[in-house]
Amino acid sequence: MAKKSKIAKDAERRKIVARYADRRAELKERIRTGSPDEVALAVRELAALPRDASPTRLRNRDVVDGRPRGHLTRFGLSRVRFRAMSHDGQLPGVTKSSW
């Protein structure tokens, strides 16, 4: 189980990223297609946005207990939680393979 403070901080970051997503996309487009003066201005504006507005600062976490490592994107679970839930039959369509 991850620390509750880390889980809360990640949730707050997700809100900030969503709040600034449109603005970041607009600035990125201006950087990509603008004249050199517009590009320089857009780069400065992009740098002025909060650090936590960048989506690269988000961390994939287990939805059940917040574990940050071994995340399986398809299920939203960590490898440890996935194994336990699949053995208990809590994940529909997932079966243990044997040969």
Side-chain angles (χ1 to χ4, degrees), residues 42-56:
V43 167
R44 280 196 301 274
E45 289 178 21
L46 187 63
L49 291 179
R51 269 190 180 174
D52 285 345
S54 174
T56 59

Side-chain angles (χ1 to χ4, degrees), residues 27-99:
L27 290 172
K28 292 273 193 170
E29 183 62 26
R30 283 179 31 201
I31 290 170
R32 194 175 68 80
T33 61
S35 69
D37 293 333
E38 290 176 0
V39 169
L41 180 62
V43 167
R44 280 196 301 274
E45 289 178 21
L46 187 63
L49 291 179
R51 269 190 180 174
D52 285 345
S54 174
T56 59
R57 291 180 60 98
L58 295 177
R59 182 85 168 144
N60 288 331
R61 291 186 173 271
D62 185 328
V63 295
V64 177
D65 64 3
R67 188 177 200 277
R69 306 275 178 127
H71 183 265
L72 302 174
T73 304
R74 184 172 177 186
F75 297 94
L77 301 170
S78 67
R79 60 181 178 79
V80 177
R81 179 71 51 187
F82 174 79
R83 188 167 191 266
M85 290 178 77
S86 62
H87 281 214
D88 292 340
Q90 296 176 354
L91 300 175
V94 176
T95 57
K96 186 174 186 311
S97 132
S98 63
W99 57 91

